[in-house]
Amino acid sequence: MVDDSLWTIFINASLVNNFVLAYFLGICPFLGVSAKLETASRMGGAVTFVMLVSSICAFGIQTLLVAIDAPYLKLIAFIAVIASTVQLVEMFIKKVSPALFRSLGIFLPLITTNCAILGLALFQTNKGYSFVQCIVYALGAGAGFTLALVLMAGLREKLELAEVPDVTRGTAMALMIAGLLSVTFMGFGGLGG
Amino acid sequence: MASSKSSTDEFIKGLWNENPVFVQVLGMCPVLAVSNTAMNALAMGLATAFVLIMSNIVVSSLRSFIPKQVRIATYFLIIATFVTVVDYVIQAVSLDLYKALGAFISLIVVNCLLLGRAEAFASKNTIARSTMDGLGMGIGFAFALFCLGAVREILGNGSLFGASLFHDSFENWVVMILPSGGFFTLAGWLLLFNWLKQRRAKREATTALGLRKEVA
Amino acid sequence: MRLLGLKTFRHGVHPPESKDETSGLSIRQFPFAPLLIVPLVQHMGAPSIPVVEEGQEVERGQRIGRPDGFMSVSMHAPASGLVRRVALAPSISGRMVPAVYLEPFPGSTQEIEDGTPCPLEATKDEIIAAIQDAGVVGLGGAAFPTHVKLKIPDGKFVDTLIINGVECEPFLTTDHRVMLEESRDIFTGIRYLLKVTGAERVIVAVEANKPDAAEHLREAFPSDLNGSVEVLQVKYPQGAEKMLFSALLGREVPSRGLPLDIHALCCNVATAAQIGQLLPRGRGIQERVITVTGPAVKRKGNYRIPIGTPLRFLLEHVGVADDVNRVFLGGPMMGAAAPSLEISITKGTSGVTAFTDTAAERTHSPVYPCIRCGYCVDACPIFLDPSMLGRLAASEQFSTMADEHHLMDCFECGSCSFVCPSHIPLVQRFRGAKAAVRKSKAGAA
Amino acid sequence: MSHSELATAPTPAPPSVWHMYRAMVGVGVFCGLLIVSVFQVTLPLIERNKAEALQKAIFQVLPNASTSTTFSFDVDGGFKLLEGDDVGQPLVYAGYDDAEQLVGLAVEAQGMGYQDVIALIYGYSFAEQAIIGIQVLESKETPGLGDKIETDPDFLENFQSLDVSVRGDGSALANSVVPVKHGEKTEPWEVDGITGATISSVAIANLLDRSAQYWVPRIRNNLRNFQGED
Amino acid sequence: MANGGKTLEIRTSPHILSGYSVDTIMFNVVLALLPVAGFAVFAFGLAGLLTLSMAVASCVLTEHLICRAAGKPSTVGDWSVTITGLLYGLTLPPSLPLWMVAAGGVICVALGKALFGGLGYNTFNPALVGRAVLQAAFPVAMTSWIPGFAAGRFSSVPSSTLTLPFTSPEYDAITSATPLALWKFGREATATSDLAMGFISGSAGETSSVLILVGGVYLIARNMMSWRIPASIFATVFVFSGALHLVDPTRYASPIFMLFSGGLMLGATFMATDMVGSPMTSRGCYLYGALIGVVTIVIRTWGGLPEGVMYAILLGNAVTPHLDRWTRPTIYGAKGKEAPT
């Protein structure tokens, strides 16, 4: 029995419990692809899209697994579905829009090992969301991921030109910015409650 | 290919020089998410290490059996299987621990470290070497997680493994067990590692310079 | 664009004007130096080819250099005298350039002989040739050969001619005095320019800090000329061509385009005066009006100085403070620092400004990191982001500066450096970056 | 594929489809066996752990109970003893004392807290017409601040007897459970808040109110469901 | 020759400067903050004085020591760290244990500034970094307020102030709620005159709106601060909260209350305007102010916390690079047709 309103779900997934800054999901791409704004926003778009598709798939699988009473297959089924979803999406985009494929192409394989996608599937199952709630949850999570990534990219591009001390350069600084963003996002606590 | 290296070297490298967390910065999600207490961190580290060792063993023993085209799929399958196993075992052992680790046990599947070792090492090396590699990397990972978890728990909760370390009036630095504390603590460890690395590099440079001067 | 009643452009800065000390002083004739060094490169373009030899005697006003192609002008002897040498001489850029060393005869007269006049009735091409022959270049400072600018290609046209009497550069009062004392020549020059360009109207632009000049020109404005005198708000760099167009016409010269693209043409007021003075008499440029000023100068003033007068002679003549340590040709915003006192006055020199050590703020100001105050962004008349450009320059990302941040549109007016509270030498960095970009482009081509 | 092969054959022929099937199916069978056997071994343990945890929570919120029974609720049919997996139906847990007399019901409830959903179980006493205990099952409230809802003795005292009596007609609660500022509690249906952790304490009060408004009238109207069968 | 053997200095133009310098700007900000700090000391007595002094001292000392450790000349002389210290101190509850004040000061400068490269590269406002981390670290202590103008405030300090390092503070029974908390959790509005004059409890520096505005006007008059940012914040807050207030005055506080309560005045005037973290273009400044205003009201109205200015400004800092990028003005001549090159 989950009666969370769609708005609550969205705000929660994007701001209050931001996937990156509160749940630490998708940290690898967050640190890896956030150096340039352009790639960051594209990655955000790609992840949001895959999240949406795999969330729908995961919802179907969960329904199926409950029906055949095989909860132990959940993880394997999810990861298989996500991997193949990514493949299918890749093929689909390649066929439908080569331009989009060129801009997203290199990120799609990376997304398979993006824990945010699997995390989304697992969380939505744990929370027992309905179909519509799942879609909103996926959109919220994707928006939150993109927001965090884009903010991060802006700050990193700015600091690219800074005289950052040698010890801080690289991942350590990215983590510090992430920590500060995380502190900032704490201000959203209680929204959507 | 590290053909000249002994199995012990494979073990040692994961602990320090190629430490998956501090040096390679891999598998960040669990590192940050469940390192809010030393216990959680250690449990998570050991769970990951277990999956890593087992998947390394299985992958390396099947390495001639698996065709190249389907290797990633099979690796995922193998890893996911062991993660499911760990998931159920932890549930059976302690429900509280299971609750604390939450979905992050399942998320071991997408830890880049596992697929990385399977692809880069286990699929090309003998079972013995792969085991040692898995052990080294796994323990190195668990060690790093413990380092984070210990700092966060000591400052954030005034305790270590749940045992209170200070007087009751100790004021907890709550931020340390919050998400931002995870980022800051890891950043702090990385700063320390960077600093040590740079200091060593500088010292080596000056020694080399000194030698050159002596020669001259 | 109009603000508070007076037209102006957006952005810009308000440096202290420091014009009061010389703006009231009439133009005075300057004596000949014992040796005049007349560089054959006083303009943008190809050096003139010397037509005199060592040991040759020349008359004042006689041609000593002929143009080398269209992008070049004639040179004339500033005094009657003996050509000592035709050799290299130091220049403001620090490079050695070919020059004619001329020793004026003692007692050489400052009277000028007339040549073959070029009347207003002549054809366009004849007038253009006469301007080239008179050695006229832009006297505002850029020293661009005027006849090149006036040669309008087929298919292009000019509807408005702007005569630039803004003189926004602090300290300088050259144009101010010229407007007051040579208005007749200015209007004669304007007639020639209108004829050549085919423009329908002329606007004489004067900054609001020279009300007497504006008033005088308004009174002297010939009734048969279609045009007006416009008073503009006091703001630097109001005198830049592009700023004038946007202030007066509301038109913007396209990026890396020419004024012709917006059917306008701009000419400095002193240049117009020279044309009006020289063409009816068939003469060439031999001297020009220069403001000699600055805290270190004892007898400040506006002088009519023979071209080729060495800086050392000039400063000795007007007297400078003992602790003078910086001399600029031009004003303090865009003027170039003199590398030595051996260089000489050229056609492009609109002023000589000397500073003492104590007045030289920049020397002692520590450089801080950019604090992103945004002063420079609000100052840049081209709407660039000097802060970003400065940071990019510091990390030597020159191609990014040119490709994404329009580095090449910067015309080095100095507004950003002037306002920067961190004292970052922005313009200096941009010059370096531009040179690097040009070099790499040349290398690629 | 070993190295010697690689060395001798620069462009190795792609493996046959059979090899791929063999690998996938083989690994799949191995993995399937492993998972299913582990699942079978651990399942009873896990069930037992969960049951114990639930039992503990029920006895915590119904201090006088010594046994408990699970009921499922159907909007049309009222409460029924849970048989098998009655998936999808909300559950309540009835607690009985040593004399097998019904002491009360334990009900699970959840609502949005400061950071995330707070899930708790509360005990409802028939005799007192009041909530007589709560136990937080899941909360991510700020440690040291929001998590006082689990530790603050003053706050927990609210729930030793929180009035949730129903109106005469049995349709709704007589008084809503309302949060008040710390130290300003005057009525038995008010919840005395925690200074500095207002959000979390208000969230508890609100989620209890919402749950009690729904459950308490239904429980009272179907009282015989719990007594009749035992 | 008059200048004898002296060599000429060759520097590129321009050769004159506006006379503005980083240290003069920073020093003037310190001057503008002094009345606010003075009022804080007047209102909270010894506790206020100790909090502010400790905040400034810890920040300045940290910066000095870090510069030393890095083998660079100390940058304390540019006054920027003094501003950080003052602002940070002004945002703290005056009864905060001094050891926490010191710890936060170290965090301000080390985490907020030095590790990013020092002045000019501190993307987030250092004072707010310190405060936000403290708020997350010690939520209870950071939300325990003492009332201002207490009797005997100049002769004694609250028991919490002198808590031993690393131990929990003990509070006297005199803690009281801020106007925002009173509104949020009890719908009690505070009189506007009390808000404006500072007869309320709250952070050391958020109590006197009038003096904050005086300082702001001084800086704006000297062109040392962007007027656009505070103007945009105030306008947004006024319009947004005013619209809400019109909808339901019992649920949503009046716009005047929103403007004058909490840290909005101090934040909008002195922290959001920190040059390093705010946009450089004018349009960027308007958007930045609007964002801060909206986020502040959203957090205050619907969020879990009574006050959101700090988070709003930090978020504004994070968005600044994008604002700068989006509002970059079109360069001169780009509108016309591109000329053949």
Side-chain angles (χ1 to χ4, degrees):
Chain A
M1 185 185 74
V2 191
D3 49 2
D4 301 357
S5 76
L6 298 182
W7 179 241
T8 304
I9 292 176
F10 185 84
I11 291 292
N12 238 326
S14 56
L15 295 179
V16 183
N17 289 311
N18 185 287
F19 264 48
V20 179
L21 300 174
Y23 285 167
F24 304 106
L25 294 173
I27 293 285
C28 297
F30 179 65
L31 296 177
V33 232
S34 63
K36 280 263 167 283
L37 178 63
E38 203 185 334
T39 44
S41 46
R42 282 184 186 162
M43 181 69 176
V47 166
T48 309
F49 183 71
V50 174
M51 272 183 170
L52 191 60
V53 176
S54 54
S55 161
I56 293 169
C57 295
F59 182 79
I61 292 173
Q62 180 61 20
T63 320
L64 185 75
L65 288 181
V66 168
I68 64 169
D69 193 21
Y72 44 83
L73 284 182
K74 189 167 79 179
L75 192 57
I76 290 188
F78 279 176
I79 192 71
V81 160
I82 289 171
S84 37
T85 310
V86 172
Q87 285 268 300
L88 284 175
V89 167
E90 196 176 340
M91 277 149 62
F92 179 76
I93 295 181
K94 201 171 184 175
K95 199 155 186 94
V96 174
S97 164
L100 187 65
F101 180 75
R102 270 196 299 279
S103 64
L104 292 185
I106 51 160
F107 301 121
L108 287 169
L110 280 176
I111 292 173
T112 317
T113 50
N114 182 341
C115 24
I117 313 273
L118 184 61
L120 177 85
L122 292 170
F123 287 159
Q124 75 180 28
T125 316
N126 286 355
K127 291 178 188 241
Y129 280 157
S130 72
F131 182 69
V132 180
Q133 282 174 323
C134 280
I135 290 181
V136 174
Y137 191 54
L139 287 176
F145 181 82
T146 312
L147 178 67
L149 203 63
V150 165
L151 286 181
M152 185 76 178
L155 292 170
R156 282 181 78 172
E157 274 193 5
K158 184 172 162 183
L159 284 166
E160 186 83 344
L161 297 172
E163 290 165 20
V164 177
D166 289 339
V167 275
T168 334
R169 223 165 256 287
T171 316
M173 190 175 72
L175 285 169
M176 271 162 36
I177 301 175
L180 291 176
L181 281 177
S182 174
V183 168
T184 305
F185 271 55
M186 279 176 65
F188 293 120
L191 275 184
Chain B
M1 203 61 35
S3 48
S4 61
K5 278 186 181 171
S6 69
S7 296
T8 335
D9 289 335
E10 305 294 358
F11 176 68
I12 300 289
K13 72 169 191 241
L15 294 186
W16 193 259
N17 278 345
E18 290 179 29
N19 186 291
V21 176
F22 293 139
V23 180
Q24 301 187 55
V25 204
L26 286 175
M28 288 292 105
C29 311
V31 170
L32 293 164
V34 288
S35 61
N36 49 3
T37 69
M39 190 63 198
N40 288 355
L42 202 58
M44 185 69 190
L46 292 179
T48 312
F50 169 76
V51 177
L52 179 61
I53 296 163
M54 293 314 286
S55 68
N56 258 9
I57 291 175
V58 174
V59 166
S60 84
S61 55
L62 295 179
R63 68 187 189 280
S64 54
F65 178 71
I66 302 169
K68 209 172 133 219
Q69 284 78 358
V70 292
R71 69 187 195 287
I72 301 288
T74 38
Y75 298 162
F76 261 126
L77 202 57
I78 292 164
I79 294 169
T81 304
F82 283 110
V83 172
T84 312
V85 168
V86 167
D87 189 277
Y88 282 112
V89 169
I90 293 184
Q91 264 190 76
V93 172
S94 160
L95 214 53
D96 286 337
L97 184 61
Y98 182 74
K99 261 190 185 166
L101 299 182
F104 288 96
I105 301 174
S106 303
L107 287 170
I108 295 177
V109 177
V110 280
N111 188 329
C112 353
L113 175 64
L114 297 172
L115 199 64
R117 291 329 287 176
E119 167 77 2
F121 198 91
S123 64
K124 296 169 188 164
N125 284 288
T126 60
I127 300 181
R129 295 182 92 90
S130 302
T131 314
M132 291 315 277
D133 177 70
L135 261 176
M137 286 290 167
I139 292 176
F141 187 77
F143 167 72
L145 259 164
F146 169 73
C147 286
L148 254 86
V151 170
R152 291 179 70 183
E153 188 180 345
I154 291 172
L155 274 176
N157 203 31
S159 62
L160 191 61
F161 290 111
S164 189
L165 290 181
F166 307 107
H167 190 255
D168 275 351
S169 63
F170 177 78
E171 176 80 1
N172 296 337
W173 295 61
V174 180
V175 68
M176 297 308 283
I177 28 185
L178 297 178
S180 43
F183 285 118
F184 291 141
T185 315
L186 184 56
W189 278 107
L190 288 181
L191 284 178
L192 184 70
F193 261 69
N194 282 352
W195 184 69
L196 288 175
K197 228 183 338 187
Q198 281 172 12
R199 208 179 55 160
R200 197 169 57 185
K202 211 181 277 174
R203 196 175 294 156
E204 275 165 12
T206 41
T207 334
L209 204 69
L211 279 176
R212 219 174 299 145
K213 267 184 192 157
E214 274 172 33
V215 171
Chain C
M1 186 182 158
R2 199 174 272 273
L3 261 173
L4 301 168
L6 291 179
K7 285 182 177 173
T8 188
F9 61 102
R10 288 202 293 144
H11 288 184
V13 294
H14 295 277
E17 293 168 31
S18 318
K19 291 175 187 268
D20 291 347
E21 287 177 310
T22 52
S23 60
L25 304 175
S26 308
I27 301 170
R28 279 174 285 169
Q29 195 68 35
F30 206 78
F32 288 121
L35 184 68
L36 296 170
I37 305 162
V38 186
L40 291 166
V41 197
Q42 301 190 15
H43 51 268
M44 269 193 205
S48 315
I49 298 169
V51 293
V52 290
E53 290 168 358
E54 269 182 40
Q56 186 180 338
E57 287 187 5
V58 293
E59 288 285 306
R60 178 163 160 88
Q62 181 184 334
R63 205 154 82 145
I64 57 171
R66 65 174 167 85
D68 178 15
F70 187 62
M71 205 35 200
S72 184
V73 294
S74 295
M75 284 309 163
H76 301 84
S80 304
L82 182 69
V83 176
R84 278 277 173 212
R85 276 193 296 160
V86 178
L88 292 178
S91 77
I92 183 73
S93 66
R95 281 195 304 269
M96 300 294 277
V97 295
V100 173
Y101 288 70
L102 180 69
E103 188 186 316
F105 294 136
S108 168
T109 172
Q110 297 210 335
E111 291 300 310
I112 304 171
E113 296 275 316
D114 281 4
T116 328
C118 173
L120 198 52
E121 293 73 33
T123 65
K124 277 186 190 180
D125 285 345
E126 281 169 358
I127 297 177
I128 287 175
I131 290 174
Q132 182 180 20
D133 203 43
V136 177
V137 298
L139 297 187
F144 187 82
T146 305
H147 68 278
V148 178
K149 193 149 80 171
L150 297 175
K151 181 88 182 162
I152 315 243
D154 292 339
K156 302 259 182 186
F157 69 93
V158 169
D159 58 19
T160 313
L161 172 71
I162 289 169
I163 300 299
N164 183 356
V166 171
E167 196 162 53
C168 58
E169 182 72 60
F171 284 99
L172 303 191
T173 54
T174 313
D175 294 347
H176 189 177
R177 292 315 303 179
V178 168
M179 286 188 281
L180 283 174
E181 299 179 31
E182 298 178 359
S183 58
R184 228 162 41 97
D185 293 333
I186 293 173
F187 289 111
T188 315
I190 287 174
R191 287 180 199 279
Y192 278 100
L193 289 167
L194 285 175
K195 165 103 197 245
V196 172
T197 57
E200 298 151 15
R201 57 169 177 162
V202 58
I203 300 174
V204 182
V206 184
E207 234 177 20
N209 56 3
K210 298 179 259 298
D212 50 345
E215 190 58 28
H216 176 74
L217 288 178
R218 273 200 184 121
E219 280 167 14
F221 208 91
S223 53
D224 60 321
L225 274 185
N226 178 22
S228 59
V229 176
E230 283 277 1
V231 176
L232 297 173
Q233 221 184 92
V234 181
K235 195 159 74 173
Y236 181 86
Q238 181 66 74
E241 205 173 64
K242 288 182 172 182
M243 283 37 287
L244 275 180
F245 294 139
S246 58
L248 292 169
L249 306 176
R251 304 180 194 163
E252 286 188 3
V253 181
S255 174
R256 269 162 285 163
L258 293 171
L260 273 181
D261 295 327
I262 54 164
H263 317 304
L265 203 82
C266 178
C267 208
N268 186 269
V269 72
T271 314
Q274 285 284 12
I275 292 172
Q277 227 167 63
L278 303 173
L279 260 57
R281 301 185 183 111
R283 294 179 186 162
I285 293 186
Q286 294 139 23
E287 53 195 15
R288 67 154 299 164
V289 180
I290 290 172
T291 308
V292 183
T293 182
V297 174
K298 286 180 181 150
R299 286 181 296 281
K300 303 176 179 68
N302 296 296
Y303 299 96
R304 196 182 301 281
I305 301 178
I307 305 292
T309 303
L311 201 52
R312 181 178 296 278
F313 176 79
L314 189 155
L315 290 177
E316 275 168 359
H317 187 80
V318 296
V320 286
D322 289 340
D323 56 345
V324 64
N325 73 341
R326 283 183 306 157
V327 178
F328 324 120
L329 299 193
M333 291 299 283
M334 283 184 84
S340 80
L341 295 178
E342 313 311 323
I343 61 169
S344 43
I345 298 299
T346 62
K347 296 173 185 172
T349 312
S350 51
V352 173
T353 321
F355 273 58
T356 57
D357 201 39
T358 41
E361 292 169 76
R362 185 175 282 280
T363 320
H364 307 293
S365 309
V367 173
Y368 293 99
C370 171
I371 57 165
R372 297 173 38 82
C373 59
Y375 289 177
C376 54
V377 176
D378 282 341
C380 181
I382 298 289
F383 307 105
L384 303 175
D385 182 347
S387 155
M388 178 58 120
L389 283 169
R391 277 174 284 152
L392 285 169
S395 57
E396 306 196 335
Q397 300 186 33
F398 300 134
S399 59
T400 315
M401 292 170 75
D403 299 341
E404 292 170 29
H405 298 275
H406 312 282
L407 168 70
M408 299 320 256
D409 283 276
C410 168
F411 67 96
E412 301 166 20
C413 67
S415 299
C416 49
S417 295
F418 171 75
V419 291
C420 181
S422 293
H423 313 305
I424 299 168
L426 291 165
V427 176
Q428 188 179 337
R429 286 189 187 173
F430 301 161
R431 281 198 190 112
K434 280 165 135 180
V437 169
R438 283 198 203 102
K439 206 170 163 187
S440 76
K441 272 206 183 127
Chain D
M1 203 177 297
S2 79
H3 292 277
S4 55
E5 267 176 332
L6 264 177
T8 49
T11 48
S16 67
V17 175
W18 153 242
H19 278 283
M20 289 197 225
Y21 275 124
R22 192 184 62 178
M24 289 305 288
V25 173
V27 172
V29 168
F30 166 76
C31 292
L33 284 176
L34 188 61
I35 290 184
V36 173
S37 38
V38 170
F39 182 66
Q40 286 304 327
V41 173
T42 53
L43 188 61
L45 284 169
I46 295 169
E47 299 273 290
R48 206 188 62 209
N49 281 348
K50 280 187 176 161
E52 271 174 11
L54 182 65
Q55 196 79 16
K56 225 176 102 193
I58 293 170
F59 293 153
Q60 183 88 30
V61 296
L62 294 171
N64 295 327
S66 54
T67 53
S68 77
T69 318
T70 309
F71 286 86
S72 71
F73 179 72
D74 188 342
V75 184
D76 306 317
F79 294 92
K80 275 195 308 227
L81 251 183
L82 181 73
E83 289 158 1
D85 290 343
D86 211 348
V87 185
Q89 303 283 15
L91 304 177
V92 296
Y93 313 96
Y96 304 90
D97 62 12
D98 294 336
E100 301 213 336
Q101 282 300 305
L102 183 67
V103 218
L105 283 162
V107 183
E108 283 177 298
Q110 56 178 329
M112 190 64 196
Y114 177 65
Q115 268 308 330
D116 207 342
V117 172
I118 302 174
L120 56 74
I121 189 167
Y122 62 89
Y124 169 71
S125 159
F126 283 100
E128 297 179 43
Q129 291 223 42
I131 289 173
I132 53 167
I134 65 164
Q135 167 90 6
V136 175
L137 299 174
E138 216 179 289
S139 123
K140 289 212 180 79
E141 300 307 282
T142 320
L145 200 60
D147 70 353
K148 280 194 188 165
I149 53 169
E150 296 177 59
T151 54
D152 190 78
D154 286 353
F155 182 68
L156 291 176
E157 206 184 288
N158 282 306
F159 309 105
Q160 281 170 11
S161 177
L162 182 70
D163 181 76
V164 284
S165 51
V166 287
R167 256 188 240 163
D169 61 356
S171 62
L173 293 190
N175 302 292
S176 297
V177 175
V178 282
V180 295
K181 269 205 316 193
H182 181 60
E184 291 183 6
K185 173 170 172 154
T186 49
E187 303 289 345
W189 55 81
E190 287 175 344
V191 174
D192 188 7
I194 309 173
T195 314
T198 323
I199 297 288
S200 306
S201 48
V202 167
I204 296 277
N206 288 341
L207 82 89
L208 278 180
D209 181 57
R210 201 149 29 99
S211 176
Q213 292 279 14
Y214 181 86
W215 284 113
V216 172
R218 281 173 177 73
I219 290 170
R220 291 203 75 85
N221 293 341
N222 294 294
L223 203 53
R224 57 194 161 70
N225 291 153
F226 306 108
Q227 290 160 331
E229 327 216 350
D230 269 81
Chain E
M1 172 66 213
N3 74 335
K6 229 180 206 176
T7 44
L8 292 177
E9 282 202 39
I10 308 172
R11 281 167 186 269
T12 52
S13 62
H15 307 284
I16 50 174
L17 295 174
S18 63
Y20 275 65
S21 171
V22 168
D23 50 349
T24 48
I25 294 179
M26 298 291 176
F27 180 71
N28 274 287
V29 177
V30 172
L31 281 187
L33 275 171
L34 281 182
V36 185
F39 187 83
V41 173
F42 174 58
F44 297 103
L46 267 182
L49 181 69
L50 285 173
T51 307
L52 283 178
S53 324
M54 182 56 111
V56 174
S58 59
C59 286
V60 172
L61 199 66
T62 308
E63 172 130 327
H64 184 73
L65 291 179
I66 288 180
C67 286
R68 278 289 178 80
K72 289 184 206 150
S74 175
T75 48
V76 170
D78 63 25
W79 291 99
S80 69
V81 73
T82 314
I83 301 178
T84 300
L86 263 178
L87 281 177
Y88 161 68
L90 289 172
T91 59
L92 296 176
S95 56
L96 194 71
L98 288 178
W99 73 265
M100 289 186 189
V101 179
V106 174
I107 293 170
C108 280
V109 175
L111 179 66
K113 194 173 169 190
L115 281 173
F116 288 104
L119 179 67
Y121 307 119
N122 44 320
T123 33
F124 291 94
N125 186 321
L128 289 183
V129 166
R131 192 195 192 276
V133 173
L134 271 198
Q135 169 94 55
F138 310 115
V140 181
M142 288 295 284
T143 45
S144 301
W145 315 92
I146 53 169
F149 304 101
R153 62 186 186 278
F154 291 111
S155 52
S156 66
V157 291
S159 56
S160 55
T161 301
L162 298 176
T163 311
L164 283 176
F166 297 103
T167 59
S168 312
E170 293 289 332
Y171 283 93
D172 310 330
I174 52 160
T175 58
S176 66
T178 61
L180 277 170
L182 287 174
W183 173 264
K184 176 141 215 151
F185 304 123
R187 299 270 174 267
E188 289 171 43
T190 311
T192 312
S193 56
D194 288 353
L195 287 173
M197 299 315 298
F199 300 124
I200 47 170
S201 67
S203 296
E206 67 182 34
T207 53
S208 173
S209 308
V210 173
L211 288 175
I212 294 169
L213 284 178
V214 167
V217 168
Y218 167 74
L219 288 178
I220 289 171
R222 298 211 55 185
N223 190 24
M224 289 176 172
M225 188 170 98
S226 160
W227 60 270
R228 297 184 177 98
I229 293 170
S232 168
I233 294 177
F234 295 149
T236 314
V237 165
F238 189 84
V239 170
F240 190 16
S241 62
L244 289 175
H245 187 65
L246 284 182
V247 172
D248 183 358
T250 55
R251 265 201 77 190
Y252 304 111
S254 79
I256 297 293
F257 174 80
M258 281 298 192
L259 274 181
F260 284 94
S261 58
L264 189 80
M265 279 289 158
L266 187 70
T269 315
F270 285 106
M271 308 221 226
T273 49
D274 175 22
M275 289 164 169
V276 182
S278 57
M280 291 196 290
T281 61
S282 9
R283 275 189 304 151
C285 286
Y286 295 129
L287 287 176
Y288 170 81
L291 176 82
I292 291 175
V294 168
V295 173
T296 302
I297 296 298
V298 165
I299 292 180
R300 281 182 179 184
T301 310
W302 295 289
L305 299 164
E307 175 60 305
V309 173
M310 170 176 79
Y311 296 107
I313 296 176
L314 286 173
L315 193 71
N317 290 158
V319 177
T320 291
H322 299 286
L323 291 178
D324 265 336
R325 177 188 291 262
W326 291 330
T327 61
R328 191 179 290 154
T330 321
I331 67 150
Y332 180 101
K335 276 165 268 175
K337 63 177 167 59
E338 195 72 14
T341 42

